[in-house]
Amino acid sequence: MNSIKILKILQEEDDFTEIPNHGMWIEDSSRIFAKEIRDNIFLLFVINNDLQQESVKAMIAKFDSMEKITLKEPKQIMFYLTLQKLEDLHYFEKYMNISQFH
């Protein structure tokens, strides 16, 4: 998985916000990007660039607010996926400008 490429894409997306990771339920070494897609429902990308376990996880989850994302576990997880390849982002076409992947 090329987490550097996904990180670059998320940083270029205007409607994703990088959330400070307080390490409460997401690994300290991870970077978190979130976008509210409905009231209190968020699309999250959790990128862990640790050399021994580089991974990108995506989820659609319900939180009280964006500020609570790293402080409390989600109230509900509706979709969870560990991205294995860049093409896996097609699951999120509805919520992202992914024309840059093609």
Side-chain angles (χ1 to χ4, degrees):
M1 181 76 234
N2 189 345
S3 62
I4 302 299
K5 190 164 189 170
I6 291 178
L7 180 62
K8 185 177 184 237
I9 290 166
L10 291 171
Q11 288 173 326
E12 290 174 359
E13 285 266 339
D14 291 335
D15 44 1
F16 275 89
T17 303
E18 185 167 4
I19 307 293
N21 186 0
H22 300 292
M24 300 299 237
W25 69 280
I26 296 174
E27 300 152 343
D28 284 334
S29 60
S30 297
R31 294 178 73 180
I32 304 157
F33 290 84
K35 173 183 179 178
E36 189 169 23
I37 55 177
R38 289 209 179 136
D39 289 341
N40 295 328
I41 309 250
F42 296 88
L43 170 58
L44 266 70
F45 285 93
V46 179
I47 301 171
N48 186 336
N49 283 331
D50 185 330
L51 295 176
Q52 297 187 359
Q53 60 172 331
E54 178 183 344
S55 69
V56 179
K57 298 174 182 116
M59 70 181 80
I60 296 175
K62 182 173 187 162
F63 293 89
D64 290 329
S65 66
M66 188 171 286
E67 294 77 25
K68 302 282 186 189
I69 287 175
T70 64
L71 298 175
K72 290 183 172 182
E73 291 190 27
K75 290 182 166 189
Q76 180 180 12
I77 295 177
M78 292 131 200
F79 185 84
Y80 181 90
L81 177 68
T82 299
L83 301 173
Q84 300 297 319
K85 53 189 181 263
L86 198 57
E87 291 79 26
D88 288 343
L89 286 173
H90 81 277
Y91 292 107
F92 306 105
E93 251 179 285
K94 180 178 178 179
Y95 306 112
M96 298 176 69
N97 175 16
I98 64 167
S99 60
Q100 57 194 322
F101 306 132
H102 303 293

